[in-house]
C-alpha cells in the first residue's frame, strides 16, 4: 500500500504508548527509548492505530497475569507480537490492506481470524457453545438490555438447533448452517448499531475515522467506505461485548 502518513509524529505516538504502558504497569514508568523507540515508531509507520496498539498491550498483560502475580514491570518490547497480531486482526476485520487473488479487498470483511488463529478455528459445535455463553453473559451483566431479548432468543434457538446437529453436518447442510450463522451475525450487529444513541453513534464513527486515517490516501473511496462500515461494526461489537456468530470454514 506504500508509505502511510500518520496523524501523530512518531515521537508523539511513542509518548502515548509510553503513557499507556505506565498505566498498565501501575504507574511504573518504563521509558520507550533507543531500540524500543525504533520498534514503536515502526508501529506508527505501519499505521497501527493507537487504540489497536493499546489492545495488543492489553492482550499481553492479560496473558502475563494469567501466569501468576506480576513479577516485574513489562517492557514495551514484550508486547510487540500481540500488538501486531491485533493489528492484523483489525486489518482483516476492516479489509484494509487485505486483498484476494484479483487484488480487491474482500467483499464482506467481517470479523475474521487469520494465520495461526485460522488454523486453530474450533470445531463448529465448540464455536456455538462459546457464542451462546457470550450472549448469555452479555445479557446477564446488562451489556445488552431487554431490547435485545427477541433477537437473543432467536439466535439462541438457532444456535441450539445447529449445535445439536453440528457433529453430523456435511456438505450442503453444513454450508446452509454456516450461511444462517452469517445472517444471524449481521442481524445482531445491525440491532446493536440501531440501539446506539446519537452521541454514541457519533463517537463510534469518529473512532472508526481515526483508525482509518493513516490509510485514506491509498484507498479507493468505495474500499474506504467498506472499511469504515466494517470498522464501525467492530467497534459496536466491542462496545456491547458481542460474540462473532459467523463461522469461517
Amino acid at each position: 500500500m506504500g508509505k502511510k502518513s500518520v496523524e501523530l509524529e512518531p515521537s508523539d505516538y511513542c509518548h502515548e504508548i509510553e503513557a499507556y504502558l505506565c498505566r498498565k504497569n501501575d504507574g511504573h514508568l518504563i521509558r520507550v527509548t533507543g531500540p524500543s523507540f525504533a520498534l514503536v515508531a515502526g508501529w506508527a509507520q505501519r499505521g497501527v492505530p493507537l487504540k489497536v496498539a493499546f489492545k495488543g498491550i492489553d492482550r499481553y498483560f492479560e496473558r502475563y497475569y494469567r501466569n501468576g502475580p506480576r513479577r516485574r514491570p513489562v517492557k514495551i518490547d514484550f508486547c510487540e507480537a500481540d500488538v501486531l497480531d491485533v493489528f492484523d486482526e483489525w486489518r482483516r476485520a476492516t479489509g484494509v490492506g487485505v486483498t484476494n487473488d484479483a487484488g480487491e479487498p474482500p467483499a464482506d470483511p467481517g470479523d475474521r481470524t487469520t494465520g495461526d488463529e485460522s488454523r486453530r478455528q474450533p470445531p463448529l459445535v465448540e464455536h456455538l457453545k462459546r457464542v451462546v455463553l457470550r450472549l448469555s453473559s452479555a445479557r446477564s451483566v446488562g451489556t445488552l438490555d431487554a431490547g435485545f431479548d427477541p433477537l437473543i432468543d432467536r439466535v439462541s434457538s438457532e444456535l441450539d438447533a445447529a449445535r445439536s446437529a453440528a457433529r453430523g453436518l456435511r456438505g450442503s447442510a453444513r454450508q446452509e448452517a454456516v450461511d444462517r450463522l452469517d445472517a444471524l451475525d449481521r442481524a445482531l450487529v445491525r440491532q446493536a448499531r440501531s440501539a446506539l444513541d446519537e452521541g454514541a453513534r457519533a463517537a463510534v464513527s469518529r473512532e472508526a475515522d481515526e483508525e482509518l486515517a493513516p490509510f485514506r490516501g491509498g484507498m479507493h473511496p468505495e474500499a474506504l467506505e467498506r472499511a469504515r462500515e466494517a470498522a464501525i461494526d467492530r467497534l459496536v461489537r466491542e462496545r456491547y461485548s458481542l460474540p462473532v456468530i459467523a463461522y469461517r470454514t
Side-chain angles (χ1 to χ4, degrees), residues 20 50 80 101 108 143 156 163 182 190-191 218 239:
Y20 189 78
L50 268 175
E80 162 130 84
D101 292 339
D108 178 17
T143 304
S156 296
R163 181 174 57 181
D182 280 348
R190 282 198 303 270
Q191 175 76 16
R239 178 178 287 258

Side-chain angles (χ1 to χ4, degrees), residues 157-180:
S157 62
E158 288 282 355
L159 291 178
D160 285 342
R163 181 174 57 181
S164 66
R167 294 185 188 279
L169 289 176
R170 295 291 186 275
S172 61
R174 179 182 174 85
Q175 186 58 51
E176 288 173 7
V178 169
D179 291 344
R180 184 166 65 249

Side-chain angles (χ1 to χ4, degrees), residues 111-113 120-135 155 159-160 162-163 166-167 174 177-178 180-182 184-185 237 242-249:
D111 281 71
R112 299 179 182 176
T113 54
R120 294 195 301 268
Q121 181 81 332
L124 180 57
V125 65
E126 295 301 322
H127 170 75
L128 297 176
K129 287 178 181 178
R130 295 177 191 180
V131 168
V132 171
L133 286 173
R134 286 280 302 279
L135 284 173
V155 170
L159 291 178
D160 285 342
R163 181 174 57 181
R167 294 185 188 279
R174 179 182 174 85
V178 169
R180 184 166 65 249
L181 295 179
D182 280 348
L184 289 171
D185 191 64
R237 195 188 295 275
L242 299 178
V244 177
I245 303 174
Y247 184 76
R248 306 301 177 187
T249 56

